[in-house]
Every structure is written in C-alpha cells, then in structure tokens.
Amino acid sequence: MMVVKRKAFQMAALVAAGSMVLVGCSGQGTDEHDAAPDDDATSTASPTAPGAELDQYAQALVTDAELMGTPQDPPVEGFVDEPVSMYLTLTDFSPTGECKQLLDELNSYSGPAVAGISAKFVKEVAPSNGDSEQSPEATQAAAETLIFETVNSDEPMSIYREIPNACDTLTSDEVEDAEAIFTKVPGLDALHLEIFDGQETETIAVGGASVNGTYHAYMSAEQVSMEQAQEMFGAQAEKLQETFQDEASASPSPEDESSAAETSDEPTAD
C-alpha cells in the first residue's frame, strides 16, 4: 500500500491484484539496485503461475531509468487470473457530493483480469527549494506500474478524468490548515494530488490508460511534480498503445466462425 504520512492524517493509494499488493514507500534505499532496467525489466516476467506467458505485458512497460528511476528487485512480477482493484483513500478528510460518489466508485472497483505484471521504481529527485537538509523522503520518488488485461471490456482509468473536477480542494476538519488539492494531469486519465498538513506537502500522481477496453496500465507515483507526472504517465500511455493497438482488435467468436463457414459453403444463385 502506498502510504504518505504527515502528523495526524494519511493518504494511501493502493492497487491490488488478488493476493498481489503493489507496495511502495518513500525513503527506501536504492544502493543495491544497479542493474540496467531496460535489460532486466523487459526480458522476462516472473509469473505467479508456472508456464504463464507474461512477456507481452512486460513489453508494454516503460522502464527508462532517467524517466522512471531504478527498478526494485525483482524488476517485474507477474500474476494470472486475479481480480484487480483500485483504491484512493483519504484519512482525516471528508469528501461529499459527487467527489465522495466518485471516490466510493473507485474504491469499490474490481475487474477480473486474464493476467498482468507489476513493476516498482525508485528515483532520486532534487529538492524543489534547494534545501540540502531535507529528509530522505523528500528527495526520492517512488513509482509503480501495473500492466494487465481484463476479461471483459472495461475503461477503469476513465474515472481519473472526473475526480479532479469533482473534488478540487478538500479541507480537513481534523487537522488544522490541512488541504488535499486534486488536479487533472493534462491530456491523460490521471490526477495529481497534493496534501498539505499545515507545514509540509506530499504529492502523489495516480491514473493510467486503456487500449480498446482490453489492455490497461495503472500507475502511481509519489513525490513527483505535475510536469514529471505528465512525462511518466504520458510515456506509459503511449507505450501501451504502441504495444497493444493491433492485438486488441476484436476476434470473431467460434459461433461467428462456424456461421461464416456454413455461409461460404452455400451455393450462390445464378
């Protein structure tokens, strides 16, 4: 579970695929991760089920180290035949109206998935105000990406277009001066969320992309600016489209094929 904590409140964004929970926390070290991500992350996925062919999903994953950061170990993990859920919960904030409805809809989403992969990255970022004494949490960005295929046609990422307008800015009745500010990432199904506790600000970007309602990318990134989020999410949406734009076309069902065969055997009238 991605968790950002400051004082008395916390914000968590979580994506789960069955028993596989994507976990990313700010402040984790990266010294042990020196392998080049492009070689390791896309070469093969480690499926949770033997014999699962998950390389096609790994090929849709953006692993550019300059953009995404250093991959955590293992670089890619796979899953087969598991439901995918998405959560965006705010503690010590009390959304109302359409904002609450949309967040409830997001938190109750569960879509059966054929298979998919997940990957985690950590990236060093320069302090935004040049303060060299900032905490380690403020100088690292953590990102996670989930690439998956749903059993049924679905557009789960479209909700991230609506949430920023509906939620905009929330204030807390529990923590003095605390605010949660939702902003849509321009041109993408993603939002950028800033949480201010009266002293410090934490950020998270969350959202994704879909191709023909079949193949999907879900991404969350902590401690990234709006510009960084737009670059990361935009690159992942483009890579997903490039990888699956041909494979996502609908194929005829066995019944349709049988019907077509019967029709082709019938003699034509002169």
Side-chain angles (χ1 to χ4, degrees), residues 63-74:
T63 58
D64 185 295
E66 184 175 349
L67 183 63
M68 299 299 298
T70 304
Q72 293 186 301
D73 188 29

Side-chain angles (χ1 to χ4, degrees), residues 134-151:
Q134 283 188 319
S135 63
E137 290 84 353
T139 58
Q140 285 190 331
E144 299 186 42
T145 306
L146 182 69
I147 308 290
F148 62 98
E149 177 182 355
T150 48
V151 174

Side-chain angles (χ1 to χ4, degrees), residues 73-89:
D73 188 29
V76 175
E77 293 184 289
F79 64 94
V80 176
D81 192 25
E82 298 284 357
V84 172
S85 300
M86 299 187 296
Y87 300 90
L88 182 60
T89 58

Side-chain angles (χ1 to χ4, degrees), residues 254-264:
E255 293 180 0
D256 293 336
E257 292 176 349
S258 175
S259 176
E262 291 175 2
T263 302
S264 64

Side-chain angles (χ1 to χ4, degrees), residues 29-243:
T30 58
D31 293 342
E32 69 271 29
H33 305 299
D34 296 323
D38 287 338
D39 293 335
D40 293 339
T42 60
S43 59
T44 183
S46 301
T48 55
E53 296 180 359
L54 300 176
D55 285 352
Q56 63 170 332
Y57 306 109
Q59 292 302 316
L61 179 68
V62 173
T63 58
D64 185 295
E66 184 175 349
L67 183 63
M68 299 299 298
T70 304
Q72 293 186 301
D73 188 29
V76 175
E77 293 184 289
F79 64 94
V80 176
D81 192 25
E82 298 284 357
V84 172
S85 300
M86 299 187 296
Y87 300 90
L88 182 60
T89 58
L90 294 167
T91 301
D92 290 324
F93 289 91
S94 301
T96 59
E98 186 181 2
C99 176
K100 182 180 186 302
Q101 292 176 4
L102 289 172
L103 291 176
D104 287 347
E105 180 182 341
L106 175 66
N107 293 337
S108 63
Y109 172 82
S110 181
V114 175
I117 58 98
S118 67
K120 306 171 188 178
F121 305 88
V122 175
K123 180 180 180 179
E124 296 293 331
V125 294
S128 58
N129 61 2
D131 185 357
S132 60
E133 296 186 3
Q134 283 188 319
S135 63
E137 290 84 353
T139 58
Q140 285 190 331
E144 299 186 42
T145 306
L146 182 69
I147 308 290
F148 62 98
E149 177 182 355
T150 48
V151 174
N152 304 312
S153 180
D154 199 1
E155 294 288 343
M157 306 306 158
S158 63
I159 196 169
Y160 293 105
R161 306 171 199 165
E162 305 175 59
I163 290 176
N165 288 334
C167 295
D168 195 14
T169 300
L170 303 179
T171 57
S172 175
D173 294 331
E174 304 295 330
V175 180
E176 185 177 359
D177 296 329
E179 286 187 333
I181 303 173
F182 294 77
T183 308
K184 186 181 184 299
V185 179
L188 298 168
D189 291 344
L191 62 85
H192 188 261
L193 177 58
E194 297 182 356
I195 297 183
F196 178 64
D197 69 354
Q199 294 184 0
E200 299 180 74
T201 299
E202 299 287 355
T203 66
I204 186 167
V206 61
S210 299
V211 176
N212 291 352
T214 303
Y215 299 95
H216 314 273
Y218 181 96
M219 179 183 292
S220 56
E222 299 178 38
Q223 298 301 92
V224 294
S225 67
M226 173 64 80
E227 292 74 18
Q228 290 170 323
Q230 191 169 10
E231 290 180 359
M232 296 167 68
F233 284 65
Q236 183 56 75
E238 183 177 352
K239 185 71 175 291
L240 187 79
Q241 178 69 27
E242 291 175 353
T243 305

